[in-house]
Amino acid sequence: MAANILIVEDEEKLARFIELELMHEGYGTDKAHDGRTGLEKALSGKYDLCLLDIMLPELNGLEVLRRLRKTSNLPVIMLTARDSVIDKVSGLDMGAQDYITKPFAIEELLARIRAALRNTAADSVKTEILTCGKLELDRGRHTVKYDGTEIKLTGREFLLLETLMINKTIVLTRDILMEKVWGFDYVGETNVVDVYIRFLRSKIDDVFGVKLIHTVRSVGYVIKDEE
Ligand code: CA
């Protein structure tokens, strides 16, 4: 069945243009032109994906996302006109799957929509459990535990940790991590990898007093059991 996509965008011409393109691709669509209506619709459970503008009247996109994430895992792609890495990082850290900077080519948006929908579908069939020492990542349930204690991670943090754990003991360069976690066409700051490694360390290494995530100077990062 075709996916249902909610477009939350106050520029009505742009929203209409995206809607027509999505309908042309066979998706079901709906629109909201302000954050409050967008949040209400996003919470209705009728959609498979939400395209969410950041600069919106009533509630901005980041606030919509923050409230949405209290109860919903609806995949979200942020639409941002700003070139600020802060917005992108906060959006991703708050649980957006991806973002795209305006103006964008419609083909790129469509590719990201397909990727977001595919990842969501793939996540629900994975069952493998990855471990590193007492750290356990369940790819099917999307949970991470250390010695039985659950660790709350955002979508992007989870993906980064998953990538490190799949490649346990193998040093991954920032470029490889960027490509695997943020995608080939990522055009933000390259230090986003370092920022997210810090987030992971603060939630895992620092909390449990262990050293699992190692920096390999001028190369990248590796996760490995304590020696
Ligand atoms: Ca806007």
Side-chain angles (χ1 to χ4, degrees):
M1 227 181 66
N4 244 331
I5 300 177
L6 174 64
I7 305 157
V8 186
E9 166 63 73
D10 61 321
E11 286 166 59
E12 300 196 16
K13 267 180 154 170
L14 177 61
R16 182 68 187 146
F17 167 71
I18 296 173
E19 180 175 49
L20 289 172
E21 292 290 338
L22 293 183
M23 284 164 68
H24 183 72
E25 293 294 310
Y27 293 113
T29 60
D30 194 5
K31 295 195 300 287
H33 299 304
D34 67 79
R36 200 166 297 278
T37 315
L39 178 62
E40 257 168 46
K41 289 193 174 196
L43 286 169
S44 70
K46 289 192 290 188
Y47 308 98
D48 302 294
L49 179 81
C50 175
L51 303 178
L52 180 59
D53 185 26
I54 289 189
M55 301 286 275
L56 286 170
E58 308 234 5
L59 278 182
N60 74 51
L62 291 176
E63 187 56 26
V64 171
L65 179 61
R66 195 182 67 79
R67 297 192 191 183
L68 180 68
R69 279 294 170 262
K70 288 183 181 170
T71 54
S72 163
N73 289 320
L74 178 68
V76 170
I77 299 177
M78 306 294 295
L79 308 178
T80 169
R82 296 195 210 165
D83 215 14
S84 151
V85 80
I86 299 295
D87 276 350
K88 292 164 187 171
V89 169
S90 4
L92 295 173
D93 196 35
M94 284 195 294
Q97 267 60 33
D98 202 354
Y99 66 84
I100 187 164
T101 307
K102 291 191 264 184
F104 47 78
I106 193 70
E107 291 73 21
E108 191 189 353
L109 179 64
L110 293 173
R112 283 170 189 247
I113 288 172
R114 283 193 297 272
L117 292 170
R118 202 166 46 228
N119 286 342
T120 312
D123 281 351
S124 60
V125 296
K126 280 185 233 159
T127 52
E128 204 183 335
I129 291 177
L130 305 170
T131 61
C132 180
K134 290 176 181 168
L135 185 67
E136 195 178 284
L137 181 147
D138 187 324
R139 303 175 79 187
R141 293 171 199 271
H142 236 259
T143 55
V144 178
K145 287 177 182 169
Y146 187 89
D147 205 9
T149 305
E150 187 159 344
I151 302 166
K152 292 256 175 247
L153 297 183
T154 64
R156 197 68 69 162
E157 289 166 355
F158 184 89
L159 198 53
L160 178 58
L161 183 63
E162 186 181 37
T163 306
L164 288 168
M165 289 181 78
I166 290 169
N167 299 285
K168 190 166 78 170
T169 74
I170 299 167
V171 180
L172 299 176
T173 64
R174 285 178 182 77
D175 286 348
I176 286 179
L177 288 169
M178 286 284 286
E179 180 192 315
K180 292 205 181 293
V181 180
W182 281 269
F184 273 119
D185 42 3
Y186 178 82
V187 284
E189 301 287 322
T190 49
N191 71 2
V192 71
V193 173
D194 306 299
V195 171
Y196 272 76
I197 289 284
R198 273 206 296 282
F199 291 158
L200 283 182
R201 280 184 172 142
S202 72
K203 290 183 175 183
I204 302 168
D205 294 28
D206 297 354
V207 173
F208 300 98
V210 288
K211 190 161 171 57
L212 298 177
I213 302 168
H214 301 258
T215 306
V216 180
R217 266 186 80 147
S218 62
V219 182
Y221 297 101
V222 60
I223 196 164
K224 55 187 181 187
D225 298 10
E226 287 186 284
E227 270 119 43

